[in-house]
Amino acid sequence: MTTGVPAYLSWPLLVLMAIIVVVRYRFFNSNQYEAYFNQALVIMLVANLLREHAVNRALDEARILTVTQSEQLSLVILMFAAAEIVGLVMVWSKVPAAEVRRRQRRMRLLAAVLATGFLIAGSPARNAGQSLEIYGGWVSVLAWIFLTTMFLVMAGLLTRMSAKEYLGPSAQGREKATAAGMWFIGITVGLTSMEAVVLSIVQELGWAQT
């Protein structure tokens, strides 16, 4: 969906994010952790650009992407960002590098499969030029399920690995604080993702009007 943040706030943040990405790729891209972090930042930058009203309008006027297509594409891109964050978390959790690469290939494949399902299920709303919330229907519920599954996978791994790190015998104050923060982020992402699906189902069943 198009961002609701005013342009005078969103664009400086996007420019700052772009500068951070350039600096990190130039000076902080020497190991597996930094590589996953940088890739996640780039993907999130592109996704946020596609949510900007001015970018939506420019792409629509140039007949490249409609506003609805841009909105759905931004969500698809965020699914791949979630896959990169999973890799980042695995490196942070000290999973062996070879195992991280193997699991990461599976995460990217899962993101691709779910993204394909989301685009197929979201095509009726996209063709109608409407958001999933406005278009409704069980096909939109299915689209939400495809979308949020990737975020739930990320949230599940994040909470499990951060809990393991927090309870680890070598964890000290700083490590415990970091693990607790990541656990909270995982729980928040998981609950938010489930809320989106539940609300779409409730709306479709008509319970919201009763």
Side-chain angles (χ1 to χ4, degrees), residues 13-207:
L13 290 174
L14 286 171
V15 170
L16 177 61
M17 190 174 181
I19 293 172
I20 291 172
V21 166
V22 172
V23 171
R24 286 199 58 85
Y25 264 99
R26 178 64 179 84
F27 299 105
F28 305 98
N29 196 35
S30 59
N31 56 50
Q32 198 177 30
Y33 181 90
E34 291 175 346
Y36 285 129
F37 188 80
N38 294 344
Q39 287 162 196
L41 280 179
V42 169
I43 295 170
M44 287 189 287
L45 175 60
V46 174
N48 279 289
L49 279 171
L50 285 172
R51 294 178 61 202
E52 278 301 311
H53 179 68
V55 175
N56 291 164
R57 187 174 64 250
L59 291 173
D60 189 35
E61 291 175 353
R63 299 184 181 278
I64 297 174
L65 292 171
T66 66
V67 173
T68 308
Q69 288 171 341
S70 295
E71 291 173 350
Q72 290 196 10
L73 182 58
S74 71
L75 295 173
V76 166
I77 291 172
L78 285 176
M79 295 169 74
F80 287 95
E84 296 307 309
I85 292 172
V86 168
L88 179 67
V89 173
M90 286 191 290
V91 175
W92 171 74
S93 298
K94 302 179 183 64
V95 175
E99 181 67 11
V100 171
R101 286 192 290 270
R102 186 181 67 83
R103 293 186 189 179
Q104 192 61 14
R105 285 194 292 270
R106 292 191 301 183
M107 285 297 107
R108 289 168 178 162
L109 177 60
L110 176 63
V113 171
L114 292 172
T116 301
F118 170 76
L119 289 173
I120 293 172
S123 59
R126 195 166 60 248
N127 294 335
Q130 297 177 336
S131 66
L132 294 174
E133 299 93 334
I134 294 175
Y135 186 81
W138 286 107
V139 69
S140 293
V141 173
L142 183 60
W144 280 115
I145 292 173
F146 278 121
L147 174 66
T148 56
T149 295
M150 191 66 224
F151 300 138
L152 287 171
V153 169
M154 181 194 75
L157 289 170
L158 185 56
T159 53
R160 180 172 62 84
M161 290 183 174
S162 58
K164 182 180 178 181
E165 287 295 315
Y166 184 89
L167 298 172
S170 62
Q172 301 299 319
R174 183 177 178 181
E175 288 84 0
K176 283 182 176 291
T178 301
M182 295 185 75
W183 182 87
F184 179 77
I185 292 172
I187 290 295
T188 302
V189 171
L191 290 175
T192 303
S193 299
M194 287 189 291
E195 180 187 26
V197 175
V198 170
L199 287 177
S200 65
I201 293 173
V202 168
Q203 179 179 341
E204 193 57 32
L205 292 173
W207 292 351

